[in-house]
Amino acid sequence: WQAQGPVAPPAPLPAVASTPPVEAAPPALPASEPASGPLNPIEVVASPEGALPGLAGSDDHVARALSELLGSRDVAAFLQMDGLVLRVVATVDNLGREHAPARLWPVNPTPERFAVEDGGTVQTIASGNAARYGAMVRWIESVDMERAVALYARLYPLFQQAYEELGYPGRYFNDRLVAVIDHLLQAPEPASPVAVRLTEV
């Protein structure tokens, strides 16, 4: 506390270039990708139309490819085509978390309102609520999965770029997709109506 003599001022620290930190939500699922490469590698297939556009200008290219696979009427009815690749990547990543914001969904919201049954002190999901999703489920079941997988492989560089820009440089979107699918498959089948608490939006 008391100096015995003059004290030299501390040497100045070397200047360090500061860069703002990139905010990225940590994965809710365990990190599954090793630094050396993907756990679930995907063979990228060359597009018959030539090189893919950059992510920022990919909407038209993706819309054409999906319309060929799914039909333009169904694409317009079920999908949010503006920024679809980013929407898919963000939603897949969020499905392993507690909240997946609807504003980022790649699909259009289901018609009508979420239905519940009031049992006095407890509200449960209404038994007929699932019927609201009938049209979308039938549409998904009608998709040629082999062609859909081939299209995913063709467009994969766009999904990978979007995933890295989301805040995961050096990580692999396909690994995250597989991990989230495994996570969702572990969801238990409820033996009774599920109790819910509605949030005002």
Side-chain angles (χ1 to χ4, degrees):
W1 289 94
Q2 292 183 352
Q4 299 298 321
V7 178
L13 296 175
V16 177
S18 62
T19 55
V22 177
E23 289 190 13
L29 302 177
S32 57
E33 305 90 346
S36 58
L39 281 179
N40 302 280
I42 183 168
E43 183 179 350
V44 176
V45 179
S47 172
E49 300 178 7
L52 288 173
L55 179 62
S58 65
D59 280 2
D60 289 343
H61 181 91
V62 172
R64 285 194 302 271
L66 284 175
S67 294
E68 290 176 9
L69 172 67
L70 307 171
S72 56
R73 185 177 64 179
D74 286 339
V75 165
F78 292 108
L79 297 180
Q80 298 264 15
M81 290 308 303
D82 60 305
L84 180 83
V85 171
L86 285 168
R87 289 175 178 275
V88 168
V89 168
T91 299
V92 167
D93 189 52
N94 284 329
L95 286 176
R97 309 180 194 282
E98 293 183 359
H99 182 56
R103 64 183 176 81
L104 298 177
W105 289 353
V107 295
N108 290 319
T110 306
E112 304 176 24
R113 291 182 62 85
F114 181 77
V116 297
E117 294 175 351
D118 198 339
T121 58
V122 177
Q123 287 182 320
T124 58
I125 298 177
S127 57
N129 191 69
R132 299 168 55 230
Y133 303 92
M136 180 173 288
V137 170
R138 288 189 296 272
W139 170 62
I140 292 172
E141 290 177 339
S142 72
V143 173
D144 184 327
M145 283 297 128
E146 187 173 337
R147 291 180 61 203
V149 169
L151 179 59
Y152 173 65
R154 206 164 77 221
L155 298 178
Y156 183 73
L158 297 175
F159 292 104
Q160 179 61 28
Q161 181 184 349
Y163 189 57
E164 293 191 16
E165 290 185 6
L166 189 64
Y168 302 102
R171 305 279 289 280
Y172 302 95
F173 174 67
N174 199 55
D175 283 349
R176 180 62 176 173
L177 175 64
V178 171
V180 169
I181 290 173
D182 289 343
H183 176 70
L184 296 177
L185 289 174
Q186 294 173 13
E189 289 286 342
S192 57
V194 177
V196 293
R197 179 167 52 87
L198 296 183
T199 303
E200 290 295 331
V201 178

